[in-house]
Amino acid sequence: MADNKLASTLTIKDSVDYLESEFLKPLKDTGGELMGIVEAIKTKDLKNVQIAETLDTINSKIEDYNKKLEDIINKSREQLATSSETIAKNQAEIEANLNELV
């Protein structure tokens, strides 16, 4: 894709899949591990309110990042599907026009 200014739908799909596998999955895995630790800490005899609030804030941020990344991936896939439909429609129109000329 070095000199090609147009990205193919396959290239875009690969990029979305990469984003999901390399960023979203590790974020979810790490977030899950952290939340397990958070819950373990919270169930102990901790009475420090500041620690509990900090842990809740961390949990909230992890969930927010997960949601934002999932939204990006889902929107990318939706737009990719729309682009693919448009490309297929335009290609069919071009082929029909070429067939008329022949």
Side-chain angles (χ1 to χ4, degrees), residues 39-95:
E39 290 307 312
I41 291 172
K42 286 172 76 174
T43 57
K44 302 257 187 230
D45 291 331
L46 278 178
K47 302 297 181 198
N48 188 326
V49 174
Q50 186 176 9
I51 291 173
E53 288 174 355
T54 301
L55 294 174
D56 288 341
T57 300
I58 290 169
N59 181 32
S60 177
K61 286 182 180 181
I62 289 170
E63 289 175 358
D64 186 50
Y65 291 141
N66 277 336
K67 182 177 178 345
K68 286 179 180 178
L69 198 49
E70 283 178 345
D71 288 346
I72 289 169
I73 288 170
N74 291 335
K75 285 179 184 176
S76 297
R77 286 202 168 117
E78 288 171 13
Q79 291 174 351
L80 181 61
T82 301
S83 294
S84 293
E85 290 172 10
T86 303
I87 289 169
K89 179 183 172 192
N90 290 343
Q91 185 175 2
E93 289 174 3
I94 290 169
E95 288 174 2

